[in-house]
Amino acid sequence: MKLINKAALIYFLLLTPFFCFAQATTKLVTLGEVKDAVQKYYDSGQYDSECKKIIDDAIEHINKMTLNDKSVVVFDVDETSLSNYDLTKSIGFGYIQNLWHESILSAKLPAIKETKRFYDYLVSKSIHVIFLTGRFSEVHDATKNNLIEQGYTKFDTLIVRQPDETKIPAAEFKETKRKILTEKGYVIIACIGDQMTDLFGSNTGYKIKLPNYLYSIE
Ligand SMILES: [Mg+2]
């Protein structure tokens, strides 16, 4: 008991100044300032140039890989292959579920330029492409149409969440699907996504993380 008390006292003495310091130096900014910074990041070309560097590195890495006829790269969809930036900006960087849903159903989201360049490179190397998204099955067809419309015309399959999979955490859902792909004989050489949940777990290959300052998914 004495040991515990002593440890607690040391802990208190050591950490209290840290917390006081952290509290005293926290600088808040307005929500408007944050939104302006995010918009500037995307509209100024900084987002594109960061994506370009990431894709350049990925291509350089894959160029050194030994490939076979079952080599595949797994693509996420939202904020990886297709962009919801215009909608998000138009509503002041919030999230309105029915507008988001309508936008997906409209199948008119633009491709993310650097991801499309990466896709074209993979197709030119005869590397398989599979889309794996947390979107639900009701928007499967709209998603597929949107991808094709934006030039992602050659892919093996588009995997979406089935009705009994809607509550599975994103990382677990994607890892399970990747495992099934490997059991079918695919060799996943890389995964590309905008969320860490796209890249957690096994069977990812080389991990390609694109920036996303619009939202994060647990
Ligand atoms: Mg995404």
Side-chain angles (χ1 to χ4, degrees), residues 76 78 80 194:
D76 170 54
D78 291 295
T80 298
D194 64 293

Side-chain angles (χ1 to χ4, degrees), residues 37-197:
V38 168
Q39 183 170 339
K40 190 175 172 194
Y41 169 77
Y42 282 90
D43 291 351
S44 69
Q46 193 180 345
Y47 170 74
D48 288 336
S49 63
E50 278 186 29
C51 288
K52 181 180 183 309
K53 169 79 173 64
I54 292 163
I55 296 304
D56 284 345
D57 289 347
I59 290 174
E60 190 182 333
H61 189 85
I62 290 174
N63 273 335
K64 294 176 191 160
M65 284 182 171
T66 303
L67 305 170
N68 68 28
D69 62 359
K70 294 298 277 181
S71 297
V72 63
V73 175
V74 176
F75 281 61
D76 170 54
V77 173
D78 291 295
E79 273 52 71
T80 298
S81 305
L82 301 174
S83 173
N84 295 278
Y85 175 69
D86 291 341
L87 169 69
T88 310
K89 185 169 79 167
S90 76
I91 58 172
F93 295 102
Y95 172 70
I96 300 173
Q97 190 176 19
N98 65 326
L99 288 183
W100 183 275
H101 188 66
E102 281 171 22
S103 171
I104 286 174
L105 283 176
S106 77
K108 294 207 178 332
L109 299 176
I112 290 175
K113 190 176 71 177
E114 289 300 324
T115 305
K116 178 60 171 48
R117 178 167 71 91
F118 182 51
Y119 165 88
D120 289 339
Y121 157 79
L122 297 172
V123 170
S124 76
K125 301 265 288 182
S126 299
I127 297 170
H128 296 266
V129 168
I130 286 176
F131 290 99
L132 171 57
T133 173
R135 288 186 178 189
F136 296 159
S137 55
E138 67 202 73
V139 296
H140 173 278
D141 292 354
T143 304
K144 187 175 178 182
N145 292 339
N146 198 158
L147 288 168
I148 292 169
E149 186 69 28
Q150 288 300 312
Y152 300 103
T153 52
K154 273 188 76 175
F155 54 93
D156 288 23
T157 188
L158 161 64
I159 303 169
V160 297
R161 286 179 186 264
Q162 297 305 310
D164 61 343
E165 297 172 329
T166 56
K167 291 194 165 52
I168 301 173
E172 184 185 336
F173 168 72
K174 295 204 166 186
E175 185 180 26
T176 302
K177 297 299 176 187
R178 289 197 305 269
K179 184 166 183 288
I180 292 168
L181 291 173
T182 60
E183 287 164 359
K184 287 180 177 171
Y186 283 109
V187 180
I188 300 174
I189 60 166
C191 277
I192 179 167
D194 64 293
Q195 302 286 325
M196 289 314 297
T197 52

